[in-house]
Amino acid sequence: MPNIKSAIKRVKTSQKANAANSSAKSAMRTAVKKAEQAIANKSENAQELVVLASKALDKAASKGIIHKNTAARKKSRLAKKLAKAN
């Protein structure tokens, strides 16, 4: 642990941010996985899950958790899989 007051505060805030970011990233990954599974199983709600996954990807990109191009690429691949399944 640092001795300087501002450095102590930075450690605390970065730990908070790290926890929030990892939680959001995990939620995003879960949404994408659920959508991919629904597409693979040809589920009726696959379209809805792809929309939710896209929303989660956009949110993660806007918060800086993932790069915007990564989000776009993942969304594109999900849409492609959905179109191929239908």
Side-chain angles (χ1 to χ4, degrees), residues 62-74:
S62 70
K63 288 182 178 179
I65 296 167
I66 58 171
H67 195 274
K68 66 183 179 85
N69 291 356
T70 306
R73 183 179 68 243
K74 289 181 184 284

Side-chain angles (χ1 to χ4, degrees), residues 9 22 24 28 32 37-38 41 43-44 55:
K9 187 174 181 182
S22 57
M28 178 206 65
V32 171
Q37 285 175 344
N41 298 336
S43 183
E44 303 96 41
K55 211 176 263 188

Side-chain angles (χ1 to χ4, degrees), residues 3-52:
N3 295 323
I4 299 163
K5 193 173 184 181
S6 61
I8 291 169
K9 187 174 181 182
R10 282 308 306 156
V11 167
K12 287 180 183 177
T13 55
S14 64
Q15 283 176 341
K16 261 187 175 176
N18 190 314
N21 286 344
S22 57
S23 172
K25 196 168 193 173
S26 175
M28 178 206 65
R29 284 194 192 122
T30 304
V32 171
K33 266 187 193 165
K34 281 183 179 178
E36 285 176 340
Q37 285 175 344
I39 292 168
N41 298 336
K42 299 189 189 234
S43 183
E44 303 96 41
N45 65 341
Q47 177 77 42
E48 296 166 32
L49 290 172
V50 168
V51 169
L52 289 174

